[in-house]
Amino acid sequence: MCSVCVEVSVRLVEDKRYSISKDSVVWHCSNRKCNKKTSVREGSWFSGTHLLLEQAVKLTYYWVYEMPGEFISRELKIGGVTPNIIIT
């Protein structure tokens, strides 16, 4: 749902011109008069992490399936940081 015009239909799109999102992935309002773009991170725990979106999604997956911290650090190349520190 668009936070500006309350349009129900928003699309997930890649937009490399959208400078606020370091991932270039945004929610785009389908209302042509509004045309609002919002970072996919906004309003989620992804907004609080400096990880790339791909790393954050993988971290979430590994965490849900209780993978060992050493495995997660190695796979995501975030050595020395445990998932609990990143998530909390």
Side-chain angles (χ1 to χ4, degrees), residues 28-87:
H28 184 235
C29 181
S30 298
N31 181 346
R32 290 183 183 176
K33 292 179 181 177
C34 177
N35 212 27
K36 168 86 172 153
K37 293 180 183 175
T38 306
S39 170
V40 71
R41 292 174 178 254
E42 190 173 307
S44 72
W45 80 268
F46 297 118
S47 66
T49 181
H50 297 290
L51 296 174
L52 296 173
L53 188 59
E54 179 182 352
Q55 288 176 307
V57 170
K58 286 181 180 178
L59 172 67
T60 304
Y61 176 85
Y62 295 149
W63 180 74
V64 165
Y65 287 100
E66 300 179 0
M67 303 300 279
E70 298 80 25
F71 170 83
I72 296 170
S73 294
R74 184 178 62 249
E75 289 297 307
L76 300 180
K77 298 176 178 66
I78 53 172
V81 180
T82 64
N84 290 338
I85 293 171
I86 296 169
I87 293 172

Side-chain angles (χ1 to χ4, degrees), residues 11-13 15 18 21 24-28 37-40:
R11 298 176 291 138
L12 189 61
V13 296
D15 187 347
Y18 189 71
S21 175
S24 301
V25 180
V26 296
W27 292 110
H28 184 235
K37 293 180 183 175
T38 306
S39 170
V40 71

